[in-house]
Amino acid sequence: MNSLLIPENILVEKSVIESQLVRNIRRNLRGCKMHVVDHLDGAQNLEAEESGKVIEVIDFRGQFLKPCPGTRNYICCGYRILHFGEQCSIGCNYCILQAYFSSGRLRLFANWDRMLSEVESILRKNPDRYFRIGTGEFTDSLLLDPVTEFSRLVVPFFARFRNSILELKTKTDHIDNLKKLDHGGRTIVAWSMNSPAVAAKYEGLAVPLEKRIECAKLCLKWGYRVAFHFDPMIFYDGWEKDYRKAVDLIFKNISPEKIVWISLGCFRFMPPLKGIIEKRYRNAELIYGEFISGIDGKMRYFKDIRITMYKKMVKWIHEYNPEVCVYLCMESPEIWKAAFGFNPLEKGGLPAILDLAAKSKCGD
Ligand code: SF4
């Protein structure tokens, strides 16, 4: 684990001091300082604080399983988020979480028993529904896994249910805990991919693309399913050559039959993120592209740029294998039609398409 990602100070709510999560942190981070507080309200200050170096461990009171915050008028994939923690210290310049959370501190939820019983109850009450569940929306799924061992809890848990799959989405190489787990074929390990230039310039402490692919190969060896996400794709001079290289890197190493899906999404952001990026990073060119405000208020590249990028990516991927499931994240039916030649509604809707892809690769 990159030493810059290792937390130094842990703030723990008193009610979860005996939790499995805190025990794991103590065991794996012997040098860290643990501070116990009655209740964490965000006001606790630590000397020489550096956000990424502080973890807050709390007794979470909210709903653990939530629908992905899709946007009206765009086609949503019907994903569900297992909300196990918040924030990320990898430091991608474009990361939307910078605007999403007011605090830069990592926050982990320690009441795992309630988390699992909530999920179990939903899965059991809806045996005829299929749940695609991910943990990588409000943080990176494996960022702190060497410390928390969260994967050891959830991977075997999801192996027990036939009406769900778990997707762990990451830009790290923190896969060691996955090696010997009983996953039952129901966990997909996914890497966010980008062009080599974008990864090197904007993706902070993320591991290089080659390392992500090496990890994907190992996960395949251990029987996991894999997926890739090109999101956000950044438009710049020379993007075609670079993104093509990233597609080649995947298919030169991974057999297409083993890939559950590949998603594509062009860079988009709520306007407040622009100021944050400008202030935080000197090389902020990524926010000065040709953007237009979408119906959801997010800034997006002009349609023709998005269509061109998607069309080419789909073409390059399908040249390797036309059967690979490729989908767009939060795009309009018009863009779908232009990029793929069809609107997902003509094929039963995007959730149905992805359910089918998951079932065919992970078992029904
Ligand atoms: S890895 Fe994901 S969550 Fe973490 S900073 Fe990068 S974009 Fe944000």
Side-chain angles (χ1 to χ4, degrees):
M1 186 171 179
N2 183 326
S3 61
L4 294 171
L5 293 174
I6 297 176
E8 287 167 1
N9 284 286
I10 321 288
L11 285 162
V12 184
E13 284 189 346
K14 201 151 88 190
S15 57
V16 292
I17 194 74
E18 297 300 335
S19 63
Q20 183 64 50
L21 172 58
V22 174
R23 283 204 296 275
N24 293 352
I25 294 174
R26 277 189 199 281
R27 193 177 55 253
N28 294 318
L29 274 186
R30 292 196 186 273
C32 74
K33 295 182 208 95
M34 204 162 270
H35 313 262
V36 182
V37 295
D38 282 339
H39 180 64
L40 273 164
D41 55 11
Q44 286 81 3
N45 290 316
L46 294 170
E47 261 177 54
E49 173 176 336
E50 234 188 283
S51 306
K53 293 281 180 186
V54 181
I55 316 183
E56 299 182 342
V57 183
I58 69 160
D59 195 358
F60 183 58
R61 309 291 157 96
Q63 198 187 338
F64 283 104
L65 196 63
K66 311 182 193 317
C68 189
T71 319
R72 258 188 306 139
N73 302 311
Y74 292 98
I75 295 177
C76 171
C77 70
Y79 202 63
R80 282 178 178 72
I81 299 165
L82 179 59
H83 194 185
F84 78 106
E86 293 170 354
Q87 266 298 4
C88 181
S89 50
I90 290 178
C92 302
N93 296 192
Y94 52 68
C95 182
I96 197 145
L97 300 182
Q98 300 174 93
Y100 210 82
F101 297 114
S102 53
S103 163
R105 286 181 186 174
L106 294 156
R107 182 166 262 219
L108 297 169
F109 307 151
N111 39 339
W112 286 355
D113 290 347
R114 187 172 77 73
M115 175 191 298
L116 295 193
S117 64
E118 181 189 313
V119 177
E120 177 154 3
S121 147
I122 293 169
L123 296 182
R124 291 205 187 284
K125 275 186 197 147
N126 299 280
D128 300 326
R129 275 170 68 188
Y130 193 75
F131 294 82
R132 282 170 284 108
I133 298 173
T135 56
E137 298 303 307
F138 297 130
T139 181
D140 179 287
S141 297
L142 297 176
L143 171 69
L144 290 174
D145 207 65
V147 174
T148 65
E149 301 180 27
F150 184 66
S151 62
R152 290 180 191 256
L153 175 84
V154 283
V155 169
F157 172 84
F158 279 96
R160 292 167 38 214
F161 300 95
R162 301 197 63 76
N163 59 336
S164 68
I165 54 99
L166 172 70
E167 184 176 29
L168 302 173
K169 218 185 277 180
T170 190
K171 287 194 188 102
T172 73
D173 56 356
H174 299 165
I175 55 168
D176 288 357
N177 286 331
L178 301 178
K179 188 171 179 183
K180 294 205 171 118
L181 297 183
D182 171 16
H183 53 73
R186 310 209 76 86
T187 293
I188 300 165
V189 194
W191 275 268
S192 298
M193 295 294 284
N194 222 306
S195 81
V198 169
K201 190 168 180 185
Y202 298 124
E203 293 191 340
L205 300 175
V207 295
L209 300 176
E210 290 75 12
K211 185 77 190 171
R212 299 179 209 181
I213 295 298
E214 215 179 281
C215 291
K217 282 165 84 172
L218 272 176
C219 285
L220 282 175
K221 200 165 138 200
W222 302 335
Y224 288 90
R225 281 41 177 174
V226 297
F228 299 98
H229 299 278
F230 283 89
D231 196 353
M233 289 168 57
I234 311 280
F235 180 73
Y236 58 92
D237 277 347
W239 71 269
E240 288 174 85
K241 181 176 51 68
D242 288 358
Y243 278 93
R244 176 93 214 218
K245 267 192 213 156
V247 171
D248 291 343
L249 179 68
I250 293 177
F251 288 97
K252 287 194 170 134
N253 286 283
I254 308 281
S255 157
E257 294 78 35
K258 307 279 184 190
I259 299 173
V260 183
W261 46 56
I262 297 180
S263 77
L264 309 176
C266 283
F267 183 42
R268 58 208 175 276
F269 56 95
M270 289 306 283
L273 185 66
K274 185 173 177 183
I276 295 172
I277 294 177
E278 269 173 330
K279 215 157 133 196
R280 210 166 269 174
Y281 303 105
R282 263 180 304 146
N283 58 353
E285 306 101 72
L286 81 162
I287 44 172
Y288 301 123
E290 296 187 77
F291 292 103
I292 188 165
S293 176
I295 7 185
D296 56 356
K298 281 188 187 157
M299 306 304 291
R300 287 175 154 76
Y301 293 133
F302 289 162
K303 265 187 213 162
D304 54 343
I305 295 180
R306 277 143 63 206
I307 291 171
T308 305
M309 292 185 90
Y310 294 142
K311 263 179 130 167
K312 296 217 163 151
M313 285 293 281
V314 173
K315 179 173 167 281
W316 298 329
I317 293 168
H318 282 166
E319 274 169 10
Y320 278 103
N321 187 320
E323 301 300 318
V324 174
C325 173
V326 186
Y327 70 95
L328 302 180
C329 186
M330 285 297 140
E331 277 295 0
S332 62
E334 183 193 347
I335 301 278
W336 265 89
K337 192 104 190 169
F340 289 83
F342 67 87
N343 172 346
L345 280 177
E346 296 160 15
K347 299 194 174 191
L350 182 56
I353 295 172
L354 297 182
D355 286 354
L356 193 66
K359 286 176 185 174
S360 71
K361 305 282 178 183
C362 306
D364 203 347

PDB file of all heavy atoms in Angstrom, residues 107 131 234 268 281 331 349:
ATOM      1  N   ARG A 107     -14.312   8.717   5.779  1.00  0.00           N
ATOM      2  CA  ARG A 107     -15.261   8.319   6.821  1.00  0.00           C
ATOM      3  C   ARG A 107     -15.688   6.881   6.557  1.00  0.00           C
ATOM      4  O   ARG A 107     -16.032   6.536   5.416  1.00  0.00           O
ATOM      5  CB  ARG A 107     -16.444   9.288   6.729  1.00  0.00           C
ATOM      6  CG  ARG A 107     -17.500   9.082   7.726  1.00  0.00           C
ATOM      7  CD  ARG A 107     -18.422  10.300   7.736  1.00  0.00           C
ATOM      8  NE  ARG A 107     -18.052  11.188   8.826  1.00  0.00           N
ATOM      9  CZ  ARG A 107     -18.940  11.826   9.570  1.00  0.00           C
ATOM     10  NH1 ARG A 107     -20.228  11.726   9.334  1.00  0.00           N
ATOM     11  NH2 ARG A 107     -18.550  12.599  10.567  1.00  0.00           N
ATOM     12  N   PHE A 131     -30.246  -7.529  -8.235  1.00  0.00           N
ATOM     13  CA  PHE A 131     -29.602  -6.336  -7.705  1.00  0.00           C
ATOM     14  C   PHE A 131     -28.140  -6.282  -8.130  1.00  0.00           C
ATOM     15  O   PHE A 131     -27.363  -7.177  -7.817  1.00  0.00           O
ATOM     16  CB  PHE A 131     -29.663  -6.343  -6.173  1.00  0.00           C
ATOM     17  CG  PHE A 131     -31.063  -6.224  -5.620  1.00  0.00           C
ATOM     18  CD1 PHE A 131     -31.887  -7.340  -5.519  1.00  0.00           C
ATOM     19  CD2 PHE A 131     -31.558  -4.988  -5.213  1.00  0.00           C
ATOM     20  CE1 PHE A 131     -33.177  -7.229  -5.020  1.00  0.00           C
ATOM     21  CE2 PHE A 131     -32.851  -4.873  -4.711  1.00  0.00           C
ATOM     22  CZ  PHE A 131     -33.665  -6.001  -4.617  1.00  0.00           C
ATOM     23  N   ILE A 234     -11.668  12.184 -20.998  1.00  0.00           N
ATOM     24  CA  ILE A 234     -11.318  13.602 -21.163  1.00  0.00           C
ATOM     25  C   ILE A 234     -10.969  13.852 -22.634  1.00  0.00           C
ATOM     26  O   ILE A 234     -10.216  13.081 -23.234  1.00  0.00           O
ATOM     27  CB  ILE A 234     -10.096  13.974 -20.281  1.00  0.00           C
ATOM     28  CG1 ILE A 234     -10.271  13.475 -18.835  1.00  0.00           C
ATOM     29  CG2 ILE A 234      -9.793  15.465 -20.343  1.00  0.00           C
ATOM     30  CD1 ILE A 234     -11.125  14.275 -17.933  1.00  0.00           C
ATOM     31  N   ARG A 268     -18.026  15.209 -16.822  1.00  0.00           N
ATOM     32  CA  ARG A 268     -19.162  16.085 -16.542  1.00  0.00           C
ATOM     33  C   ARG A 268     -19.059  16.509 -15.094  1.00  0.00           C
ATOM     34  O   ARG A 268     -18.503  15.782 -14.267  1.00  0.00           O
ATOM     35  CB  ARG A 268     -20.493  15.361 -16.818  1.00  0.00           C
ATOM     36  CG  ARG A 268     -20.641  14.088 -16.010  1.00  0.00           C
ATOM     37  CD  ARG A 268     -21.527  13.068 -16.713  1.00  0.00           C
ATOM     38  NE  ARG A 268     -21.566  11.804 -15.981  1.00  0.00           N
ATOM     39  CZ  ARG A 268     -20.655  10.838 -16.080  1.00  0.00           C
ATOM     40  NH1 ARG A 268     -19.593  10.993 -16.861  1.00  0.00           N
ATOM     41  NH2 ARG A 268     -20.778   9.740 -15.378  1.00  0.00           N
ATOM     42  N   TYR A 281      -5.620  22.690  -8.122  1.00  0.00           N
ATOM     43  CA  TYR A 281      -4.618  22.146  -9.047  1.00  0.00           C
ATOM     44  C   TYR A 281      -4.155  23.188 -10.059  1.00  0.00           C
ATOM     45  O   TYR A 281      -4.991  23.865 -10.664  1.00  0.00           O
ATOM     46  CB  TYR A 281      -5.193  20.941  -9.803  1.00  0.00           C
ATOM     47  CG  TYR A 281      -5.684  19.856  -8.878  1.00  0.00           C
ATOM     48  CD1 TYR A 281      -7.050  19.662  -8.679  1.00  0.00           C
ATOM     49  CD2 TYR A 281      -4.798  19.045  -8.188  1.00  0.00           C
ATOM     50  CE1 TYR A 281      -7.525  18.685  -7.817  1.00  0.00           C
ATOM     51  CE2 TYR A 281      -5.255  18.066  -7.321  1.00  0.00           C
ATOM     52  CZ  TYR A 281      -6.614  17.893  -7.149  1.00  0.00           C
ATOM     53  OH  TYR A 281      -7.071  16.930  -6.286  1.00  0.00           O
ATOM     54  N   GLU A 331     -26.320   9.133 -20.046  1.00  0.00           N
ATOM     55  CA  GLU A 331     -26.416   9.845 -21.310  1.00  0.00           C
ATOM     56  C   GLU A 331     -27.857   9.806 -21.802  1.00  0.00           C
ATOM     57  O   GLU A 331     -28.673   9.007 -21.344  1.00  0.00           O
ATOM     58  CB  GLU A 331     -25.463   9.237 -22.351  1.00  0.00           C
ATOM     59  CG  GLU A 331     -24.030   9.743 -22.226  1.00  0.00           C
ATOM     60  CD  GLU A 331     -23.867  11.242 -22.526  1.00  0.00           C
ATOM     61  OE1 GLU A 331     -24.866  11.914 -22.831  1.00  0.00           O
ATOM     62  OE2 GLU A 331     -22.736  11.723 -22.439  1.00  0.00           O
ATOM     63  N   GLY A 349     -34.528  -1.779 -21.966  1.00  0.00           N
ATOM     64  CA  GLY A 349     -34.002  -0.811 -20.996  1.00  0.00           C
ATOM     65  C   GLY A 349     -32.593  -1.186 -20.545  1.00  0.00           C
ATOM     66  O   GLY A 349     -32.205  -2.352 -20.571  1.00  0.00           O
TER      67      GLY A 349
END
